[in-house]
Amino acid sequence: MDKNQATGLMLISALLLAYLFFFKPKAEEQAKQAEKPAAAAAAKPAAAPAPLDSAATVRLLGAFAAAGQGQEQSVELRNSKVSVALSTRGGRPQVVLLEGEKTFTGQPLYLLDKQSADIDVQVPTSEGRRVKLSSLYFRPSAVTPVTENGKKGQRVQLTAELAPGQQIQQTYTLFDDSYQLGYNLKFQNLSGLVTAEPLTYTWLDHVRQTEQSAKQNRNHSTINYYLAEDDLGSIAEASEKPEEQTAPGAVKWIGHKHDFFTAGLIADKPFPSGKFNTNVKEGDSTYLKTMQSTLQIPAADVQSDAGAGFQYYFGPNSFRVLKDVAPHFERNVYLGWGVFRYVNRFLVIPVFTFLEQYISSYGLIIVLLVVFLKTLLWPLVYKSYLSQAKMRVLKPEIDEIKEKYGDDQMKVQQETMKLYQSTGSSPLAGCLPMLATLPILFALFQFFPNAIELRGESFLWAKDLSTYDAPIILPFTLPFLGNHISLFTVMMTISTLLMTWQSNQMNPAAMQGPMKMYSYLMPLIFFFVLNDFPAGLTWYYFVSNVVTFAQQAITRNFVDEKKLHAQLQANKEKNKDKKPAGFQARLAEAMKAAQERETEGRKGGAQANKK
């Protein structure tokens, strides 16, 4: 190879590397490729199992062999909200399309499809076999209209005939404008063919990416289940390790939560037991997470005249919708734990719902939500600002104490405490009101990433407030940041830095030395943390900072620091002979005891040096 050939090869290699680096497919294009199997699932039938001859069917299914051969068909129930395709092989839901919903790439949203989900029931027989309903073929009836309790809908029955008078019946009912699919499983005259052992219901669910952020989509997908003892069980959402849980008691319902959508099953009578597991396979770009639920169905229920009754739910993870599905089914919407959940449920959601009735722009709804909450908390903000003003006007006296007692820090603290006690002020008084606002701050940190109302809603440059805004796409990936920059997060960070600077200017004694540097460092850390978070959340924080600026400007007009200083001096004169009480007394005693120990330690050291 001569010099010219070598140079040409190097140039070609450099151009190839540059192309791969700067023109590689964007995350959105990759997601479209990953979604093609899901979009085609409804149109492309699953590979049919190899047909069995009569002898093989009898060996496999025994007394159930009569239903072991047939042709798979699809029966559809559809309303304005959901379309469910039932397979005659197994008589089970196979494809679920949510009408009017799209993936973030604009494709139809399939909550289940033939490749991603598998629902089955295993029946223990008196011959010692465990026959799966997916091994049987069911004959569908015509889809007929039905009216129950004033509700209109459609119903279809799928029947597997084992012998004259011996049947397995599966009945599905879909009412108009409903996300719920009624399901009844009934064994007719099969007491001699099946045992008294419970049937085993299994639901295997491979979660596909439907949202822009694969990480958020994965971390928000999990299995929730509710116990008959009124207690919620759940597998950790963000876990990427195999997780398994066994329900400690009977189970009322399960929910396979797919970020903003849930596929669930509610039993008329609780399942006696349940086992649940999730798993994430590294490098699997087709499925974000695999979830499986295994439940027991009492044999007596399916052999009763009424059969075993259930309700499937295939729909949005909306608090308002889920609370009417089943008791506590709204717990599939994660609103935080403890007090944060109550703040979201009884404060944030009612206000948000009220504003939705009159305003169509969710960006503006967030602005009004900020204004409402800030107005509600204004008394606490005022009290905090008043405390900070007291610290400012007392700063010259505190500086005099420091200058007078020099390096005797204990004496400085004692005299400073006396000053606070006599003037009726405290540095903690400015912190405690602000701590009271934290439950709302943390509650909203959980509300926005789980609010389906924001899904697909655009505002300014953000195409979808339920995920990060990405007006700036980088041709490379940065550690902790990814390949995009959220402009709302940038605005939030800048406004937080300005607030920090203003606070430090107004209270120069509050933040000194390393703490002052850390106060500026934290907003920068949050920039990296929140860059992947929903635009609705970072927009809220930015607007909250702007409103806080306005609040502080207005509050300053109500606080006359000269009058405040005169009042503190009057308090000081009034309380000069008053002894500390309560917490201040205990604090003074503790400081006095510490000073005595320090004095004794110095004396002991001096005596040792003399010896």
Side-chain angles (χ1 to χ4, degrees):
M1 181 183 295
D2 60 23
K3 182 178 179 180
N4 291 334
Q5 289 175 321
T7 302
L9 184 59
M10 289 177 63
L11 289 173
I12 292 172
S13 301
L15 289 172
L16 180 60
L17 288 172
Y19 175 82
L20 293 174
F21 187 79
F22 291 103
F23 300 100
K24 62 182 180 180
K26 296 180 181 178
E28 182 174 319
E29 296 170 349
Q30 293 171 342
K32 286 182 180 178
Q33 295 298 322
E35 279 197 21
K36 285 183 179 179
K44 189 175 181 180
L52 300 173
D53 58 30
S54 299
T57 303
V58 172
R59 285 196 302 272
L60 180 66
L61 303 177
F64 289 72
Q69 292 184 324
Q71 184 67 38
E72 183 177 12
Q73 303 174 44
S74 181
V75 180
E76 186 179 74
L77 296 177
R78 178 193 293 267
N79 63 20
S80 61
K81 296 183 181 297
V82 64
S83 174
V84 181
L86 305 168
S87 171
T88 58
R89 186 168 69 87
R92 53 196 174 159
Q94 198 169 53
V95 178
V96 175
L97 171 68
L98 296 183
E99 301 288 351
E101 299 288 355
K102 301 290 184 181
T103 67
F104 77 101
T105 58
Q107 299 298 317
L109 199 152
Y110 290 91
L111 197 53
L112 305 180
D113 62 54
K114 296 178 183 180
Q115 285 74 37
S116 71
D118 183 54
I119 297 173
D120 212 340
V121 176
Q122 196 174 71
V123 183
T125 72
S126 55
E127 300 169 319
R129 294 180 173 87
R130 301 191 71 83
V131 175
K132 293 182 177 181
L133 295 191
S134 60
S135 301
L136 309 180
Y137 289 85
F138 289 74
R139 184 184 70 256
S141 69
V143 176
T144 58
V146 63
T147 301
E148 285 185 5
N149 301 321
K151 296 188 296 184
K152 295 182 178 181
Q154 307 167 1
R155 178 171 291 166
V156 65
Q157 186 175 88
L158 296 100
T159 304
E161 192 85 31
L162 306 183
Q166 294 181 321
Q167 298 178 341
I168 298 177
Q169 298 175 350
Q170 299 187 81
T171 306
Y172 293 91
T173 305
L174 181 65
F175 289 104
D176 297 345
D177 298 320
S178 175
Y179 293 106
Q180 293 173 248
L181 177 70
Y183 173 50
N184 183 275
L185 175 60
K186 181 180 178 181
F187 289 0
Q188 189 169 1
N189 300 322
L190 298 188
S191 57
L193 299 182
V194 300
T195 68
E197 294 180 56
L199 286 67
T200 302
Y201 173 97
T202 58
W203 187 345
L204 181 64
D205 193 358
H206 299 289
V207 180
R208 294 186 187 273
Q209 183 177 352
T210 57
E211 312 305 320
Q212 178 176 239
S213 173
K215 180 181 178 182
Q216 175 183 305
N217 208 159
R218 180 186 299 111
N219 290 348
H220 286 189
S221 299
T222 190
I223 300 175
N224 298 314
Y225 56 93
Y226 205 80
L227 302 175
E229 291 83 4
D230 288 332
D231 190 21
L232 180 72
S234 180
I235 294 181
E237 291 184 339
S239 176
E240 296 190 358
K241 297 179 181 178
E243 298 281 349
E244 182 173 294
Q245 290 184 12
T246 299
V251 178
K252 286 185 177 180
W253 55 255
I254 65 167
H256 284 201
K257 178 173 172 285
H258 295 213
D259 199 355
F260 289 113
F261 301 93
T262 292
L265 180 65
I266 305 102
D268 289 353
K269 296 180 180 179
F271 301 102
S273 63
K275 182 181 287 186
F276 314 96
N277 59 69
T278 61
N279 189 24
V280 175
K281 293 183 179 178
E282 293 185 10
D284 189 342
S285 59
T286 303
Y287 303 117
L288 299 176
K289 183 176 284 188
T290 297
M291 307 186 291
Q292 180 168 317
S293 294
T294 304
L295 303 159
Q296 301 298 314
I297 302 175
D301 289 355
V302 298
Q303 295 185 59
S304 66
D305 292 340
F310 310 90
Q311 289 281 334
Y312 281 104
Y313 174 83
F314 301 113
N317 217 29
S318 167
F319 184 90
R320 284 168 292 173
V321 175
L322 297 185
K323 67 184 178 64
D324 296 328
V325 172
H328 308 289
F329 202 66
E330 72 277 1
R331 294 291 294 274
N332 283 294
V333 181
Y334 185 68
L335 298 176
W337 54 271
V339 67
F340 308 126
R341 181 163 64 89
Y342 291 107
V343 169
N344 276 324
R345 178 166 185 175
F346 297 111
L347 177 62
V348 176
I349 289 179
V351 174
F352 200 84
T353 303
F354 173 79
L355 294 174
E356 278 183 305
Q357 300 175 36
Y358 304 100
I359 301 171
S360 59
S361 169
Y362 281 85
L364 294 180
I365 287 175
I366 291 172
V367 172
L368 293 178
L369 179 65
V370 172
V371 172
F372 170 78
L373 294 176
K374 286 291 185 180
T375 304
L376 185 68
L377 297 173
W378 200 329
L380 295 177
V381 174
Y382 177 80
K383 190 172 271 190
S384 177
Y385 181 85
L386 186 62
S387 176
Q388 293 174 6
K390 289 180 180 180
M391 293 300 103
R392 283 196 299 274
V393 298
L394 289 176
K395 186 178 182 301
E397 295 180 58
I398 294 173
D399 290 341
E400 287 179 10
I401 292 173
K402 292 178 180 178
E403 185 177 352
K404 181 177 180 181
Y405 295 101
D407 296 332
D408 191 345
Q409 290 299 317
M410 187 62 67
K411 190 65 175 176
V412 169
Q413 291 178 5
Q414 285 182 334
E415 293 301 318
T416 303
M417 289 302 299
K418 286 181 182 179
L419 176 64
Y420 290 153
Q421 189 272 333
S422 63
T423 56
S425 57
S426 170
L428 293 178
C431 300
L432 294 178
M434 297 311 295
L435 288 176
T437 67
L438 289 181
I440 293 179
L441 181 69
F442 290 129
L444 291 165
F445 190 79
Q446 300 296 341
F447 171 76
F448 284 108
N450 294 288
I452 192 173
E453 292 81 2
L454 301 180
R455 188 177 186 272
E457 296 291 338
S458 61
F459 182 69
L460 299 178
W461 55 83
K463 297 178 180 179
D464 186 344
L465 287 171
S466 71
T467 187
Y468 57 81
D469 59 304
I472 304 173
I473 299 294
L474 304 174
F476 48 82
T477 300
L478 292 173
F480 308 108
L481 196 65
N483 67 340
H484 70 276
I485 293 178
S486 163
L487 192 52
F488 281 143
T489 309
V490 172
M491 293 163 58
M492 179 208 73
T493 303
I494 293 173
S495 62
T496 306
L497 288 170
L498 288 174
M499 283 185 61
T500 303
W501 176 82
Q502 184 187 61
S503 178
N504 290 341
Q505 292 296 113
M506 293 174 62
N507 300 281
M511 290 289 180
Q512 295 181 350
M515 289 303 296
K516 189 172 184 178
M517 181 189 70
Y518 292 149
S519 68
Y520 291 107
L521 183 61
M522 289 306 297
L524 296 176
I525 292 175
F526 275 104
F527 167 72
F528 288 91
V529 172
L530 297 178
N531 191 57
D532 273 336
F533 273 65
L537 178 66
T538 49
W539 169 243
Y540 173 89
Y541 284 160
F542 167 71
V543 175
S544 179
N545 288 343
V546 172
V547 174
T548 299
F549 276 123
Q551 272 189 333
Q552 290 177 347
I554 296 172
T555 304
R556 278 197 292 271
N557 293 328
F558 288 96
V559 178
D560 188 330
E561 294 191 1
K562 291 183 178 180
K563 290 183 179 180
L564 182 61
H565 183 263
Q567 181 184 350
L568 293 179
Q569 294 305 313
N571 292 343
K572 182 179 178 182
E573 185 64 27
K574 180 181 176 181
N575 298 324
K576 64 180 180 180
D577 297 324
K578 186 178 179 180
K579 294 182 179 180
F583 173 75
Q584 289 185 333
R586 292 191 294 272
L587 183 60
E589 287 294 329
M591 294 176 65
K592 182 179 180 181
Q595 185 180 27
E596 290 175 352
R597 287 194 298 270
E598 183 180 353
T599 303
E600 291 176 1
R602 289 176 180 175
K603 289 180 180 179
Q607 291 175 357
N609 290 334
K610 289 179 180 179
K611 293 179 180 180

